[in-house]
Amino acid sequence: MRCGSSILADFLICSRFATRLPIPAPAAEAGPHGPTDLARALRLLPAAGGLIGGLAAGVLVAGASLGLPPQLAAALAVGLLILVSGALHEDGLADCADGFGGGVTRQQKLEIMRDSRIGAFGTLALALTLYLRIAAIAAIAEQSLHLASAALVAAAALSRAAALLPLGLLSPARSSGLGFSAGKIGADALRVALPLAVLFALAPLAAGAGLARPLLSVVAVLVAALAFAAFAKREIGGHTGDVAGASQQLGEVIVYLIYAAGA
């Protein structure tokens, strides 16, 4: 019973962190988004991602049922993803693009990433990923609305496991901020999060996808996350919350492209 309560508490903490949804704080939460609670609760980040992806799939289906063309329904689904997460991951992608692209020294890159203003690299990165996400989801939906819905769930969960890899493999690059609060998550959290993400990644099987694309998406997302973690270590010496956000965005795009190519 205690184990079930712990899992539910971690899911609520993780969902409160990952979304803007009005989720009540569990009784076991020591403080809002406290570092200790968050570090443990992140093991269920893929489950919180599955919830977000399910909401986006509902918007996609609703748009299609209203007669909207796939491109518009896909745009609404992506808009829901951004709205529910508070653009947390998009902000990380833009900051990483600006910092890694515009900085010369490690300190300059970290300063640029902390700046709330967006530069040319960040703008271009956001524009490209938004286009790829909408276009790929639309391409999948044109072939199968059920597959597109399942791909949204799979991508949302798997990409959030990708966001955890830099947090598990690298030390914080600075002594403050979201990345520092999360710290370097333990192997125990990854041992739960990664298999959980794989289960969500298999969701498209229920929509008629073969086994090859789910497996390919798992491998491709993990390899991309590992490569980006190595890149972040070279650029800034560790992880930040922005690095985790950029890893999520990269993983999400990869999943959509794999299913769009199959479509």
Side-chain angles (χ1 to χ4, degrees), residues 57-152:
V59 170
L60 181 71
V61 172
S65 66
L66 292 173
L68 293 178
Q71 292 82 0
L72 292 180
L76 290 176
V78 171
L80 188 282
L81 290 172
I82 296 171
L83 179 64
V84 168
S85 66
L88 179 66
H89 309 299
E90 288 79 7
D91 180 69
L93 173 66
D95 286 344
C96 282
D98 281 334
F100 295 170
V104 177
T105 67
R106 173 181 178 274
Q107 190 58 36
Q108 284 180 337
K109 292 171 184 177
L110 287 171
E111 289 176 359
I112 292 172
M113 291 167 69
R114 189 185 290 274
D115 193 334
S116 60
R117 294 170 295 182
I118 186 171
F121 287 106
T123 300
L124 292 171
L126 285 177
L128 178 60
T129 54
L130 277 173
Y131 171 76
L132 289 174
R133 292 159 76 187
I134 293 172
I137 294 169
I140 303 167
E142 285 178 353
Q143 301 298 318
S144 170
L145 186 60
H146 290 142
L147 181 58
S149 299
L152 279 164

Side-chain angles (χ1 to χ4, degrees), residues 122-244:
T123 300
L124 292 171
L126 285 177
L128 178 60
T129 54
L130 277 173
Y131 171 76
L132 289 174
R133 292 159 76 187
I134 293 172
I137 294 169
I140 303 167
E142 285 178 353
Q143 301 298 318
S144 170
L145 186 60
H146 290 142
L147 181 58
S149 299
L152 279 164
V153 174
L158 188 55
S159 63
R160 281 163 177 81
L164 293 180
L165 284 178
L167 302 181
L169 298 175
L170 306 177
S171 298
R174 57 166 66 103
S175 58
S176 62
L178 181 60
F180 178 75
S181 297
K184 185 175 182 179
I185 66 173
D188 289 343
L190 289 178
R191 279 195 287 267
V192 174
L194 293 179
L196 184 60
V198 172
L199 288 177
F200 277 99
L202 297 177
L205 293 176
L211 186 60
R213 280 185 287 173
L215 293 181
L216 177 59
S217 65
V218 170
V219 173
V221 168
L222 293 182
V223 169
L226 291 172
F228 191 73
F231 181 61
K233 183 176 182 180
R234 189 190 75 179
E235 293 292 308
I236 57 174
H239 75 71
T240 66
D242 290 331
V243 171

